[in-house]
Amino acid sequence: MNFSIYVTGLMMGLSLIVAIGAQNAFILRQGLRNEHVFAVCLACALSDAALIVLGVTSLQQIAGLLPWLDPVMRYGGAAFLAWYGAKSLYSAFRSSAVLTAAEAETTSFSQTLATCLALTWLNPHVYLDTVVLLGTISTRYPGQQASFAAGAVSGSFLFFFSLGYGATWLRPVFSRPSSWRMLETLVAFTMWVIAYKLLGGM
Protein backbone atom coordinates (compact mmCIF):
# COMPACT_ATOMS: atom_id res chain seq x y z
CA MET A 1 0.00 0.00 0.00
CA ASN A 2 1.24 3.48 -0.91
CA PHE A 3 0.92 5.49 2.31
CA SER A 4 1.04 8.94 0.68
CA ILE A 5 -1.80 8.01 -1.69
CA TYR A 6 -3.68 6.46 1.25
CA VAL A 7 -3.42 9.81 3.07
CA THR A 8 -4.54 11.63 -0.08
CA GLY A 9 -7.62 9.41 -0.25
CA LEU A 10 -8.23 9.95 3.46
CA MET A 11 -8.07 13.74 3.13
CA MET A 12 -10.17 13.80 -0.04
CA GLY A 13 -12.81 11.61 1.57
CA LEU A 14 -12.91 13.77 4.68
CA SER A 15 -13.04 16.98 2.63
CA LEU A 16 -16.10 15.82 0.70
CA ILE A 17 -17.94 14.28 3.64
CA VAL A 18 -17.44 17.11 6.13
CA ALA A 19 -20.05 19.31 4.44
CA ILE A 20 -23.07 19.65 6.71
CA GLY A 21 -26.05 18.08 5.02
CA ALA A 22 -29.15 16.12 5.93
CA GLN A 23 -27.20 12.93 6.66
CA ASN A 24 -24.61 14.58 8.89
CA ALA A 25 -27.22 16.65 10.68
CA PHE A 26 -29.12 13.42 11.40
CA ILE A 27 -26.00 11.78 12.85
CA LEU A 28 -25.34 14.84 15.00
CA ARG A 29 -28.90 14.75 16.24
CA GLN A 30 -28.67 11.05 17.10
CA GLY A 31 -25.40 11.66 18.89
CA LEU A 32 -26.86 14.52 20.90
CA ARG A 33 -29.76 12.27 21.90
CA ASN A 34 -27.43 9.29 22.47
CA GLU A 35 -29.83 7.13 20.46
CA HIS A 36 -28.74 4.20 18.25
CA VAL A 37 -25.46 6.02 17.62
CA PHE A 38 -23.32 2.98 16.74
CA ALA A 39 -25.84 1.55 14.26
CA VAL A 40 -26.33 4.89 12.53
CA CYS A 41 -22.60 5.54 12.22
CA LEU A 42 -21.92 2.01 10.97
CA ALA A 43 -24.73 2.15 8.40
CA CYS A 44 -23.43 5.44 6.99
CA ALA A 45 -19.81 4.29 6.94
CA LEU A 46 -20.58 0.96 5.25
CA SER A 47 -22.78 2.68 2.68
CA ASP A 48 -19.99 5.11 1.88
CA ALA A 49 -17.47 2.28 1.67
CA ALA A 50 -19.62 0.38 -0.85
CA LEU A 51 -20.08 3.47 -3.03
CA ILE A 52 -16.40 4.42 -2.89
CA VAL A 53 -15.31 0.93 -3.94
CA LEU A 54 -17.90 0.99 -6.73
CA GLY A 55 -16.59 4.34 -7.96
CA VAL A 56 -12.91 3.41 -7.81
CA THR A 57 -13.38 0.06 -9.58
CA SER A 58 -16.19 0.74 -12.05
CA LEU A 59 -15.32 4.29 -13.06
CA GLN A 60 -11.82 3.22 -14.04
CA GLN A 61 -13.14 0.47 -16.30
CA ILE A 62 -15.72 2.74 -17.88
CA ALA A 63 -13.11 5.43 -18.49
CA GLY A 64 -10.99 2.84 -20.31
CA LEU A 65 -13.88 2.04 -22.66
CA LEU A 66 -15.00 5.66 -23.00
CA PRO A 67 -11.92 7.94 -23.01
CA TRP A 68 -14.06 11.06 -23.28
CA LEU A 69 -15.82 10.28 -19.99
CA ASP A 70 -12.85 11.17 -17.78
CA PRO A 71 -12.54 14.84 -18.89
CA VAL A 72 -16.32 15.22 -18.83
CA MET A 73 -16.40 13.92 -15.25
CA ARG A 74 -13.52 16.17 -14.24
CA TYR A 75 -15.08 19.32 -15.70
CA GLY A 76 -18.53 18.42 -14.44
CA GLY A 77 -17.25 17.59 -10.97
CA ALA A 78 -15.17 20.76 -10.81
CA ALA A 79 -18.19 22.85 -11.86
CA PHE A 80 -20.37 21.25 -9.21
CA LEU A 81 -17.75 21.75 -6.49
CA ALA A 82 -17.28 25.38 -7.49
CA TRP A 83 -21.04 25.91 -7.21
CA TYR A 84 -21.24 24.00 -3.93
CA GLY A 85 -18.41 26.08 -2.51
CA ALA A 86 -20.17 29.29 -3.52
CA LYS A 87 -23.38 28.04 -1.92
CA SER A 88 -21.54 27.23 1.32
CA LEU A 89 -19.88 30.64 1.37
CA TYR A 90 -23.27 32.28 0.81
CA SER A 91 -24.66 30.28 3.73
CA ALA A 92 -21.73 31.39 5.86
CA PHE A 93 -22.72 35.03 5.37
CA ARG A 94 -26.49 34.64 5.50
CA SER A 95 -27.22 31.70 7.79
CA SER A 96 -28.19 32.10 11.44
CA ALA A 97 -28.72 28.37 12.01
CA VAL A 98 -27.70 26.70 15.24
CA LEU A 99 -27.57 23.08 16.28
CA THR A 100 -29.92 22.06 19.05
CA ALA A 101 -30.75 18.67 20.48
CA ALA A 102 -34.03 17.32 19.25
CA GLU A 103 -36.73 17.06 21.87
CA ALA A 104 -38.84 14.51 20.02
CA GLU A 105 -39.77 11.20 21.54
CA THR A 106 -37.38 8.28 21.22
CA THR A 107 -37.72 6.52 17.87
CA SER A 108 -37.41 2.77 17.34
CA PHE A 109 -34.25 1.16 16.04
CA SER A 110 -35.87 0.12 12.75
CA GLN A 111 -37.33 3.57 12.15
CA THR A 112 -34.03 5.24 12.93
CA LEU A 113 -32.09 2.91 10.63
CA ALA A 114 -34.62 3.33 7.82
CA THR A 115 -34.35 7.11 8.07
CA CYS A 116 -30.57 6.90 8.08
CA LEU A 117 -30.45 4.69 4.97
CA ALA A 118 -32.97 6.90 3.16
CA LEU A 119 -30.93 10.03 3.85
CA THR A 120 -27.87 8.19 2.52
CA TRP A 121 -29.08 6.30 -0.55
CA LEU A 122 -31.78 8.71 -1.73
CA ASN A 123 -29.41 11.67 -1.72
CA PRO A 124 -28.08 12.27 -5.26
CA HIS A 125 -25.08 14.16 -3.88
CA VAL A 126 -23.71 11.03 -2.23
CA TYR A 127 -23.30 9.38 -5.63
CA LEU A 128 -21.53 12.41 -7.04
CA ASP A 129 -19.20 12.63 -4.04
CA THR A 130 -18.32 8.95 -3.73
CA VAL A 131 -18.83 7.24 -7.07
CA VAL A 132 -18.10 10.08 -9.50
CA LEU A 133 -15.72 12.49 -7.76
CA LEU A 134 -13.65 10.04 -5.72
CA GLY A 135 -13.76 7.54 -8.57
CA THR A 136 -12.51 10.18 -10.99
CA ILE A 137 -9.78 11.43 -8.67
CA SER A 138 -8.58 7.84 -8.15
CA THR A 139 -7.79 7.55 -11.88
CA ARG A 140 -4.90 9.95 -11.28
CA TYR A 141 -3.14 7.17 -9.36
CA PRO A 142 -2.89 4.23 -11.80
CA GLY A 143 -2.06 1.01 -10.02
CA GLN A 144 -2.61 2.60 -6.63
CA GLN A 145 -6.38 3.00 -6.63
CA ALA A 146 -6.70 0.46 -3.80
CA SER A 147 -4.59 2.69 -1.53
CA PHE A 148 -6.69 5.71 -2.47
CA ALA A 149 -9.95 3.83 -1.85
CA ALA A 150 -8.70 2.49 1.50
CA GLY A 151 -7.87 6.04 2.58
CA ALA A 152 -11.26 7.37 1.50
CA VAL A 153 -13.09 4.51 3.26
CA SER A 154 -11.03 5.11 6.41
CA GLY A 155 -12.01 8.77 6.23
CA SER A 156 -15.68 7.82 6.16
CA PHE A 157 -15.43 5.56 9.21
CA LEU A 158 -13.33 8.11 11.08
CA PHE A 159 -15.68 10.98 10.31
CA PHE A 160 -19.01 9.28 10.97
CA PHE A 161 -17.99 7.72 14.27
CA SER A 162 -16.25 10.90 15.42
CA LEU A 163 -19.34 12.88 14.49
CA GLY A 164 -21.74 10.52 16.23
CA TYR A 165 -19.80 10.04 19.44
CA GLY A 166 -18.35 13.54 19.51
CA ALA A 167 -21.76 15.19 19.30
CA THR A 168 -21.92 15.80 23.04
CA TRP A 169 -18.65 17.70 22.87
CA LEU A 170 -19.81 19.59 19.78
CA ARG A 171 -23.11 20.69 21.28
CA PRO A 172 -21.83 23.84 23.04
CA VAL A 173 -19.68 24.67 20.03
CA PHE A 174 -22.54 24.63 17.52
CA SER A 175 -24.95 26.43 19.81
CA ARG A 176 -23.47 29.61 18.32
CA PRO A 177 -24.31 30.71 14.76
CA SER A 178 -20.71 31.92 14.33
CA SER A 179 -19.49 28.30 14.55
CA TRP A 180 -21.72 27.30 11.63
CA ARG A 181 -20.47 30.28 9.61
CA MET A 182 -16.85 29.29 10.21
CA LEU A 183 -17.57 25.69 9.21
CA GLU A 184 -19.43 26.71 6.05
CA THR A 185 -16.53 28.99 5.08
CA LEU A 186 -14.06 26.15 5.56
CA VAL A 187 -16.26 23.85 3.47
CA ALA A 188 -16.43 26.45 0.69
CA PHE A 189 -12.67 26.82 0.37
CA THR A 190 -12.19 23.05 0.63
CA MET A 191 -14.59 22.49 -2.27
CA TRP A 192 -12.75 25.08 -4.38
CA VAL A 193 -9.38 23.49 -3.69
CA ILE A 194 -10.70 20.08 -4.80
CA ALA A 195 -12.22 21.65 -7.93
CA TYR A 196 -8.83 23.18 -8.74
CA LYS A 197 -7.12 19.82 -8.27
CA LEU A 198 -9.63 18.15 -10.58
CA LEU A 199 -8.98 20.72 -13.30
CA GLY A 200 -5.25 20.43 -12.72
CA GLY A 201 -5.44 16.77 -13.65
CA MET A 202 -6.56 17.57 -17.19
Side-chain angles (χ1 to χ4, degrees), residues 10 13-14 17 44-45 48-49 52 151-161:
L10 175 67
L14 286 173
I17 205 172
C44 291
D48 251 28
I52 290 169
V153 169
S154 297
S156 293
F157 275 84
L158 176 64
F159 177 79
F160 285 129
F161 279 92

Side-chain angles (χ1 to χ4, degrees), residues 157-181:
F157 275 84
L158 176 64
F159 177 79
F160 285 129
F161 279 92
S162 297
L163 187 64
Y165 286 99
T168 300
W169 178 80
L170 290 171
R171 183 176 183 178
V173 176
F174 285 97
S175 64
R176 301 187 300 271
S178 60
S179 298
W180 284 102
R181 296 192 185 102

Side-chain angles (χ1 to χ4, degrees), residues 1-34:
M1 176 178 290
N2 188 308
F3 184 71
S4 63
I5 295 178
Y6 171 86
V7 173
T8 299
L10 175 67
M11 298 308 296
M12 284 292 183
L14 286 173
S15 297
L16 288 173
I17 205 172
V18 74
I20 293 297
Q23 182 190 52
N24 291 349
F26 179 76
I27 295 173
L28 278 170
R29 188 179 303 113
Q30 293 302 117
L32 288 171
R33 298 169 62 179
N34 193 28

Side-chain angles (χ1 to χ4, degrees), residues 89-127:
L89 193 62
Y90 178 80
S91 296
F93 286 107
R94 297 299 297 270
S95 178
S96 60
V98 297
L99 178 65
T100 57
E103 300 297 335
E105 295 180 359
T106 301
T107 54
S108 67
F109 174 80
S110 58
Q111 182 180 352
T112 299
L113 189 60
T115 301
C116 175
L117 292 175
L119 289 173
T120 300
W121 292 90
L122 298 181
N123 178 10
H125 287 169
V126 74
Y127 297 99

